[in-house]
Amino acid sequence: MIHLQEVRFKFREYPETNEYPFGLPLLKNTRSLPFLSPVTLFAGENGTGKSTILRAICRAAGIHIWEEQGRRRHAKSPFEERLHDYLQACWSNGAVPGSFFSSDIFRTFASALDEFAVSDPGILKYFGGSSLMNQSHGQSLLSFFGSRYSIEGLYLLDEPETALSPRSQVRLLKIIREAAWRGHAQFIIASHSPILLACPGATVYSFDHLPPKVVEYEETEYYKVYKEFLEDRGKFLGQESGIPSTGSGQGRNQKSVKG
């Protein structure tokens, strides 16, 4: 199911063209982002605007972002929190609820959930049935994903692979694929993970192009770099220049002499 069909950029109404985020090349060159499948992935180098746009889409869709209050930053752009005001969310059949995930704010959410559960323990059934704070970080994430994404809605994830092992990333990929296949959930995900980017049937936008361009999995820089690295890691690590690897025989011999 594609709940959110498209996001349009009200570029003629931007209040500023030099300050962040309106000064991003992405915003100067993009007029709309259509969502062509239940799973859409944003790929691209750091600084291309993936996370910025993802958060703005979330707010434009009316979805709350759990963020720790009270922290202050130096020289924050006065326009940073206003980008969503210049996006138009185009729904297929009216707005749906959903959630935003980012590993850097997950613990804030998990802690707040624990506080809510003191007065309403039943709320935990929507997130795996037990406190997320009493599990390892990776376990709590998978518990959250598996429970939350069984509910109809629009789900936005910002680099969910950050705290997950490759095997756990495969589990998350299966959760996303199953929820999308069942037809109740739509996902928009910014990711550097070649595992998540391999989601069958997903639309991959490369933010290395202006405007973002739909590309095949094998065209992404992540696929190319990981493939090259696994096939010939020495090329990346300088071993062709005679630099020994950490696990070289020389290192083991030195250790045995010291013994």
Side-chain angles (χ1 to χ4, degrees):
M1 178 68 179
I2 301 177
H3 299 293
L4 184 63
Q5 292 184 317
E6 184 180 27
V7 167
R8 295 173 185 165
F9 295 71
K10 304 176 185 178
F11 63 98
R12 299 185 190 279
E13 301 177 23
Y14 291 168
E16 168 62 50
T17 56
N18 295 315
E19 285 273 1
Y20 176 83
F22 296 101
L24 288 170
L26 169 69
L27 288 173
K28 293 180 178 181
N29 291 274
T30 307
R31 301 296 175 258
S32 68
L33 276 178
F35 300 107
L36 310 173
S37 57
V39 181
T40 302
L41 291 138
F42 292 169
E45 266 299 335
N46 294 324
T48 52
K50 303 184 304 298
S51 295
T52 299
I53 292 300
L54 190 72
R55 286 173 177 261
I57 292 173
C58 183
R59 292 189 171 104
I63 295 172
H64 180 68
I65 298 179
W66 287 89
E67 293 186 288
E68 188 172 354
Q69 302 298 315
R71 290 190 176 183
R72 298 201 289 177
R73 282 172 38 201
H74 174 68
K76 182 178 179 179
S77 168
F79 301 103
E80 189 169 340
E81 302 299 328
R82 296 179 55 192
L83 178 55
H84 67 281
D85 291 331
Y86 301 91
L87 299 184
Q88 179 184 354
C90 303
W91 301 93
S92 61
N93 193 26
V96 296
S99 71
F100 176 86
F101 171 85
S102 176
S103 60
D104 62 341
I105 62 174
F106 180 72
R107 293 312 263 183
T108 300
F109 168 78
S111 178
L113 182 63
D114 254 24
E115 293 184 23
F116 296 151
V118 172
S119 56
D120 182 13
I123 197 173
L124 293 176
K125 71 181 181 180
Y126 298 106
F127 303 97
S130 61
S131 170
L132 298 176
M133 298 294 289
N134 293 336
Q135 305 174 52
S136 73
H137 194 39
Q139 289 174 327
S140 64
L141 291 179
L142 289 171
S143 180
F144 170 80
F145 295 143
S147 301
R148 188 67 181 87
Y149 301 156
S150 64
I151 303 170
E152 180 181 17
L154 172 66
Y155 298 105
L156 302 100
L157 296 83
D158 189 13
E159 299 181 13
E161 70 273 11
T162 302
L164 297 178
S165 69
R167 195 175 297 277
S168 292
Q169 290 180 45
V170 172
R171 289 180 61 189
L172 172 57
L173 176 57
K174 290 179 178 178
I175 291 171
I176 291 170
R177 185 185 182 190
E178 180 180 349
W181 178 80
R182 287 171 57 190
H184 65 275
Q186 179 182 357
F187 296 89
I188 306 173
I189 307 167
S191 178
H192 294 291
S193 168
I195 293 175
L196 297 182
L197 288 167
C199 183
T203 299
V204 179
Y205 274 109
S206 171
F207 278 57
D208 293 326
H209 297 82
L210 294 174
K213 174 185 174 183
V214 175
V215 298
E216 296 296 325
Y217 172 60
E218 291 79 8
E219 295 180 89
T220 63
E221 193 68 12
Y222 306 124
Y223 173 86
K224 294 176 183 177
V225 171
Y226 273 83
K227 184 173 185 292
E228 287 182 44
F229 183 86
L230 292 173
E231 290 178 346
D232 184 8
R233 66 182 185 274
K235 182 175 69 174
F236 289 82
L237 302 177
Q239 287 177 247
E240 71 277 8
S241 302
I243 300 174
S245 64
T246 304
S248 66
Q250 180 181 357
R252 288 195 297 272
N253 290 338
Q254 287 176 344
K255 185 176 180 180
S256 62
V257 171
K258 288 181 181 179

